[in-house]
Amino acid sequence: MDGTPACDAVELRVHGVSGVTAERILDHPIVVRVAGDTHAGFFRPRPGSGVAGGATPGVTVEAYHWGSLTAGAAVRSASMLLLLPFMLGNLAIWLRPPGQDRWGLLGVLCRLLAGTLTATFVLAIVGVTLDLIGWQCVPYPGCRASRPYLAWLYTLPSGPRLALLALVPLLALRVVWAIGVRSARAFEGFGPSSAQPPAPGQTEGLKDAGFWHDERTIGWLRQVHVALGVGTLNVSLLAGISPGGVGVSGHIVQFVAAVGLLVFCVVLLCLPVPATTARTRRLLRSVWTATAGVSVLCLGSAALAGAAPSGSGKLPGYEGAAAGVVAAQGVLLVVLTVVTYARQRTAGAHARHFLRGLGTPIMAASAVSVGAAFTATLVYRTADALDHGDIPDPIRPNASSLGPLEPPVAYWWAALAGLTALLVGAAAASATLLLSRQRRRRLAARVVERDYPNAPAQEQNRLRLVRETIARSRFTEELGPVLIAFLVIASLGLVTVALDLIGIGPTQLAARLGGHGGAPAVVAAYVTDAGVWVISLLVICLMVLGFRAYRSSQTRRVVAVLWDLGTFWPRTVHPFAPPSYAARTVPELAKRVTGLAARGPVILSGHSHGSVLAAATILQLPPSVLSRVSLLTYGSPLRRTYARLYPAYLGPQTLCDLGERIGWRWRNLWRDTDPISGPIFPGASDAPPSCADPAADDVDLRLRDPRSLTIDPADTVPPPLERHWPYHTQAAYQAAVRELTDRSR
């Protein structure tokens, strides 16, 4: 059907991030799809139009184009950027250290932290609608002046007004849910329906049949998070209304029921996904019944509360709820750091991983920081608009006719901490770049001296360019201290949790220490405002980038890089994260390779991130197919990045197992000038004992870049610096394909 003769070898190329076209993968202008669909498909040059670029004689070249899964429908919507904190929260668990996760503690902590992200999202919408608009702005003539879209709310009693505005957070929850599941439809039907999904935080590897099948896990977590968000709204609504209309006892019963729903959701997050479908349905039915019942009671109580007093300060209970969530996030980050560090110390002396093994708490802190930035931007910009451009503080209070429109104190501290983290991160990156420059240059000089020992004197400028390129390509290894500094700043920010709980903000603290209206209070006010504006500008720029993705395919590809790297792993922590494209690409590649291997040898060729997909595919192949499959990787971050960031899933032991599964029919091409690639098995001193097979030493093949410093007599310019692309134009690539094909026969 696809034109492949029996016993003919096939080179199946898999591209990396940013959604490159099938024409570029094949290096051919005319291609035709032979399998797959518009989301992800397999392409070949049109018959009669020539062969693919870099093709080896006797080998049919095919390309797998999966970029539309991220660079297409998913990234076209700017609303996908709202899911960034959830994506980072889901990514945290996959950076855990290797070894057994005793009692699944890391998974529980990551799921609880993900639950606080959902609560933060709901509280942000509650702060805008119930607090700033319904409670603080509408009762004051100066705030609702020239705003007819708010003036009509003044005619409603405060209880029905809050009940009506509570529908907005419910709608926001529904929108986020819809965004999270919309793109998943393109992935349906590619996972093994009978396989059980791995429990979050467990030690299942990439070779387990159900690893990429996360449908049941996501369905379970989605219901729990929706109930958690609705429960957060219910508690905020009940705290803001008086008990009139239903009686004090009725109000207490409803409040206990709302808090009980939250506790029930927290308990469910601590438990593993139910083992059977029947039990899952029973528990979900209980969750839905409890959520619907408590929500109806709370909305009814608010609608019957009548004209409760409002406008006196902030919405009752909202300040404490925001500070409580910040405190919970701080405690969880501390515990997560301690548990991860303890796990890393027991991993063994040879397991010295990137970021000291603290990748999980660093990524979790990033999720919390981005969520706080989104929340502070939404609440502060709304308060700024309602205040006609003036955000109040103890130094610049509002007039009595306008009302005390103030966000929670927790958001003031978040703004100040965000500015501090930004400055410290920039300073750490600059210091790391400067301090490592000489060491990177010395390493680059040794490489250049080895590759070009007799360079002509007239080529010194070009030699210097090559040396600087190699030195710059080594900077990715130096990012560890920057991220560690970020975690330290995030941890130091926990000192403000105690101040959050008692309602003291930066300006209040400065006023108490330096006297009301003194210089410290004024400086604190301006610094806090600057922090809010810096965070707001960053978030607004992110939104502008997402909007441009609607119109520009180039911008869409740039944004797609973020999703390609962040949505590779299944969603086992936060259900509102963007869906994992690997849930389709890996099973689909495994199915295609299995079909092609029945006709002849298959060389699975992966460039950059495509090599990670190729490795995951081979780990999913049945043993009967492996004897006719080989692996060719180039520009690959497998060892340099993935084995260091994800040691529990793509660590050295997994890479050794990968080589053994295919009989070490594996070649890896890399360049010193490539900032992404590197050797898979860098040396015996770096390899774990289980990878002592001598065949591992033959996997890596370093390519000199540029190929020569001097101009070829038949050319007009010297050979270019190729860095990360292309690889298929070099003779070493065709030689590797020919060798792997012969060995697979």
Side-chain angles (χ1 to χ4, degrees), residues 152-398:
W152 68 274
L153 290 173
Y154 183 67
T155 61
L156 297 177
S158 60
R161 181 196 312 150
L162 295 179
L164 180 62
L165 292 173
L167 298 178
V168 178
L170 292 176
L171 179 61
L173 268 177
R174 182 65 182 88
V175 170
V176 172
W177 181 349
I179 294 174
V181 302
R182 184 187 62 178
S183 297
R185 299 189 186 98
F187 311 143
E188 292 176 355
F190 289 90
S193 58
S194 60
Q196 298 296 328
Q202 298 300 318
T203 57
E204 283 81 356
L206 291 173
K207 60 184 177 182
D208 295 320
F211 185 87
W212 300 105
H213 185 57
D214 63 350
E215 181 180 353
R216 189 160 59 85
T217 301
I218 292 306
W220 165 257
L221 290 176
R222 185 181 296 125
Q223 314 301 339
V224 176
H225 275 253
V226 168
L228 183 65
V230 174
T232 303
L233 172 62
N234 291 336
V235 172
S236 302
L237 181 60
L238 289 177
I241 63 174
S242 69
V246 294
V248 176
S249 60
H251 183 77
I252 294 177
V253 170
Q254 293 167 6
F255 193 82
V256 170
V259 174
L261 177 61
L262 288 178
V263 174
F264 182 45
C265 293
V266 171
V267 172
L268 291 179
L269 290 177
C270 296
L271 300 177
V273 179
T276 62
T277 303
R279 186 183 177 191
T280 302
R281 290 176 178 174
R282 287 197 301 269
L283 287 175
L284 289 181
R285 193 178 299 114
S286 302
V287 172
W288 271 117
T289 302
T291 303
V294 174
S295 300
V296 170
L297 288 176
C298 294
L299 289 174
S301 176
L304 298 175
S310 67
S312 177
K314 303 171 186 176
L315 182 71
Y318 182 63
E319 178 80 39
V325 171
V326 173
Q329 290 175 337
V331 172
L332 288 172
L333 281 177
V334 170
V335 176
L336 190 61
T337 302
V338 172
V339 172
T340 306
Y341 183 73
R343 283 277 312 280
Q344 170 63 16
R345 288 179 62 88
T346 60
H350 67 276
R352 301 182 63 182
H353 302 295
F354 190 50
L355 305 177
R356 305 285 184 180
L358 297 177
T360 293
I362 288 175
M363 189 59 65
S366 301
V368 171
S369 299
V370 174
F374 280 18
T375 300
T377 298
L378 177 64
V379 174
Y380 265 85
R381 297 285 66 83
T382 303
D384 193 13
L386 293 176
D387 276 334
H388 299 279
D390 295 323
I391 300 179
D393 55 56
I395 309 304
R396 306 182 302 256
N398 274 336

Side-chain angles (χ1 to χ4, degrees), residues 110-158:
C110 288
R111 291 197 299 275
L112 289 176
L113 194 62
T116 64
L117 294 177
T118 299
T120 299
F121 170 76
V122 174
L123 283 175
I125 309 299
V126 168
V128 170
T129 54
L130 273 66
D131 182 29
L132 291 178
I133 296 177
W135 188 267
Q136 298 190 45
C137 177
V138 170
Y140 290 90
C143 185
R144 64 176 185 269
S146 70
R147 293 190 176 105
Y149 53 89
L150 295 181
W152 68 274
L153 290 173
Y154 183 67
T155 61
L156 297 177
S158 60

